[in-house]
């Protein structure tokens, strides 16, 4: 079972789905026909899949399906096992070459059960509003983010160690912005890596003093969504398909998934978020007046290009390191 949002004209993924059904596998695919710029491609692929015998569905009425999920159920010697892929980017061979994204493979039973429940809902077999591990829009993703921001406010009040880092394409939703302002006012240190539209104003006295916003624009289009919650040392990281926009939170089927493996979580913290925030080549910082100012290295420091660093440092080869993500080290000096 798989969701297909932006497929593209040359799709190895769709060809693999066709091979699977030709080899006797049961295949179900949700094709989103309203994927902007890819409507024609998606219609053609949907017809090809239907002709091959794939169970093709087109989503829930009134909602775009933007989630990136693939599920394989396999009969093995000790019973059925679920293998799940969840991602931040589309199953599109063209954009995969020029977009920065993160994919996550797992055979965890709880996430597999959530993926099955999600597909059952999308294909009309059941109604599902609660999940074990996934945050799914429009039913639970918004409240899941709000509750975690509120928790960070409580952590700040109790320990003075509140910390939030969001990496997004866009930040537009008024409610989420409201809670980020509240978190800043309580003293939570917040870094936002927003590549595109950001309707939040950082650095406004008494409102967003503790919020820094940077945009990274370079060779690759920054597309992954990462949500980091300090949680008093018991940190949480979620990845997924959703930006903080009304359309994503209320008008689409979206998924955010937790990274609970300690090694993976440490690598994302130290080798991704830290590197993004250290960029002095592709990054620009949003000012309180809405203007962006390029981020440049301090005197005597070499420029750091996060995208070039990722090209030459595969994450799979890197040991976890101690993170510099703290409540006091996120902001550059006045110089």
């Amino acid at each position: 079972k798989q969701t297909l949002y932006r497929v593209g004209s040359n799709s190895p993924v769709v060809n693999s789905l066709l091979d699977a059904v030709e080899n006797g596998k049961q295949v179900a695919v949700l094709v989103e026909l309203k994927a902007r710029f890819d409507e024609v491609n998606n219609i053609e692929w949907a017809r090809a899949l239907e002709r091959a015998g794939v169970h093709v569905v087109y989503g829930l009425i009134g909602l775009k399906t933007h989630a990136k999920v693939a599920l394989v159920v396999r009969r093995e010697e000790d019973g059925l096992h679920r293998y799940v892929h969840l991602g931040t980017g589309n199953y599109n061979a063209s954009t995969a070459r020029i977009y920065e994204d993160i994919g996550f493979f797992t055979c965890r039973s709880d996430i597999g059960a959530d993926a099955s429940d999600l597909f059952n809902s999308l294909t009309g077999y059941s109604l599902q509003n609660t999940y074990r591990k996934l945050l799914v829009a429009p039913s639970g993703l918004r409240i899941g983010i709000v509750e975690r921001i509120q928790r960070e406010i409580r952590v700040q009040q109790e320990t003075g160690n509140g910390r939030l880092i969001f990496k997004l394409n866009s930040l537009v939703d008024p409610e989420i912005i409201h809670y980020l302002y509240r978190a800043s006012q309580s003293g939570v240190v917040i870094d936002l890596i927003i590549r595109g539209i950001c309707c939040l104003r950082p650095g406004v006295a008494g409102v967003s003093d503790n919020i820094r916003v940077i945009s990274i624009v370079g060779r690759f289009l920054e597309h992954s969504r990462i949500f980091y919650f300090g949680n008093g040392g018991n940190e949480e990281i979620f990845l997924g398909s959703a930006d903080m926009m009304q359309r994503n939170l209320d008008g689409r089927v979206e998924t955010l998934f937790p990274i609970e493996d300690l090694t993976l979580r440490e690598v994302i913290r130290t080798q991704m978020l830290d590197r993004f925030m250290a960029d002095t080549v592709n990054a620009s910082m949003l000012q309180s007046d809405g203007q962006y100012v390029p981020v440049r290295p301090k005197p005597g420091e070499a420029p750091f290009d996060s995208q070039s660093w990722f090209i030459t440092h595969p994450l799979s080869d890197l040991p976890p390191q101690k993170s510099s993500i703290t409540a006091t080290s996120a902001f550059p000096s006045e110089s």
Side-chain angles (χ1 to χ4, degrees):
K1 298 183 180 183
Q2 182 152 9
T3 62
L4 294 177
Y5 181 76
R6 196 177 301 285
V7 181
S9 57
N10 178 25
S11 178
V13 171
V14 174
N15 288 330
S16 293
L17 292 168
L18 293 171
D19 288 343
V21 75
E22 289 173 4
N23 281 278
K25 313 305 177 186
Q26 297 179 12
V27 180
V29 177
L30 186 143
V31 180
E32 178 51 67
L33 295 183
K34 294 181 290 184
R36 189 173 47 165
F37 309 125
D38 267 309
E39 294 93 338
V40 173
N41 285 329
N42 285 11
I43 290 171
E44 292 177 352
W45 282 122
R47 288 172 175 168
L49 289 164
E50 285 182 335
R51 286 195 298 268
V54 173
H55 178 201
V56 178
V57 295
Y58 300 98
L60 304 175
I61 296 175
L63 298 174
K64 274 189 179 182
T65 299
H66 191 247
K68 326 299 182 185
V69 188
L71 169 67
V72 173
V73 182
R74 188 165 183 256
R75 188 184 305 278
E76 299 180 357
E77 290 183 358
D78 57 345
L80 295 177
H81 291 265
R82 296 183 180 99
Y83 299 88
V84 182
H85 176 269
L86 298 153
T88 67
N90 298 302
Y91 296 109
N92 184 305
S94 298
T95 60
R97 298 177 64 86
I98 56 175
Y99 285 19
E100 173 273 337
D101 273 301
I102 305 171
F104 176 62
F105 286 96
T106 183
C107 59
R108 282 180 42 172
S109 59
D110 49 5
I111 292 180
D114 274 355
S116 292
D117 288 343
L118 176 61
F119 277 110
N120 286 340
S121 177
L122 293 174
T123 55
Y125 287 110
S126 68
L127 295 175
Q128 190 75 21
N129 292 318
T130 60
Y131 294 84
R132 300 158 188 81
K133 292 294 183 178
L134 301 183
L135 299 180
V136 179
S139 58
L141 198 156
R142 175 188 289 278
I143 188 62
I145 295 296
V146 168
E147 287 177 346
R148 285 166 173 81
I149 296 174
Q150 292 176 315
R151 182 186 63 192
E152 217 58 37
I153 293 173
R154 293 193 298 272
V155 168
Q156 177 66 28
Q157 293 169 344
E158 295 169 2
T159 69
N161 196 34
R163 192 71 171 98
L164 293 168
I165 306 170
F166 291 174
K167 181 179 182 292
L168 306 167
N169 289 269
S170 301
L171 174 59
V172 173
D173 184 76
E175 183 184 26
I176 300 298
I177 291 173
H178 166 75
Y179 280 103
L180 289 172
Y181 283 151
R182 285 188 54 188
S184 173
Q185 291 162 13
S186 73
V188 177
V189 175
I190 303 170
D191 269 293
L192 302 175
I193 308 164
I194 314 294
R195 187 251 306 162
I197 299 171
C198 180
C199 293
L200 177 148
R201 288 290 183 94
V204 177
V207 178
S208 55
D209 310 70
N210 293 308
I211 302 178
R212 181 179 75 153
V213 179
I214 63 170
S215 172
I216 296 176
V217 179
R219 171 181 171 183
F220 301 101
L221 186 139
E222 296 289 339
H223 195 248
S224 64
R225 291 87 166 180
I226 306 174
F227 298 81
Y228 173 89
F229 304 91
N231 194 25
N234 186 25
E235 58 197 13
E236 279 191 320
I237 293 178
F238 281 82
L239 311 177
S241 60
D243 287 305
M244 294 296 97
M245 307 176 73
Q246 294 99 315
R247 71 183 191 189
N248 298 86
L249 296 169
D250 304 322
R252 292 183 174 185
V253 177
E254 302 273 14
T255 54
L256 295 183
F257 50 94
I259 301 298
E260 297 184 341
D261 178 90
L262 294 178
T263 299
L264 293 180
R265 198 162 62 200
E266 188 73 8
V267 166
I268 291 171
R269 272 198 309 124
T270 62
Q271 305 302 332
M272 296 196 72
L273 291 175
D274 278 4
R275 305 295 175 177
F276 289 130
M277 292 187 293
D279 196 304
T280 55
V281 174
N282 305 302
S284 296
M285 187 176 297
L286 179 60
Q287 309 298 297
S288 59
D289 63 359
Q291 300 297 310
Y292 283 87
V293 175
V295 177
R296 293 295 177 255
K298 297 175 183 178
E301 288 186 354
F304 179 71
D305 183 333
S306 61
Q307 294 193 349
S308 295
W309 189 88
F310 286 126
I311 292 173
T312 56
H313 293 77
L315 296 183
S316 59
D317 295 343
L318 295 170
Q321 299 180 8
K322 182 176 176 57
S323 175
S324 63
I325 295 174
T326 68
T328 57
S329 67
F331 295 92
S333 64
E334 291 299 320
S335 62

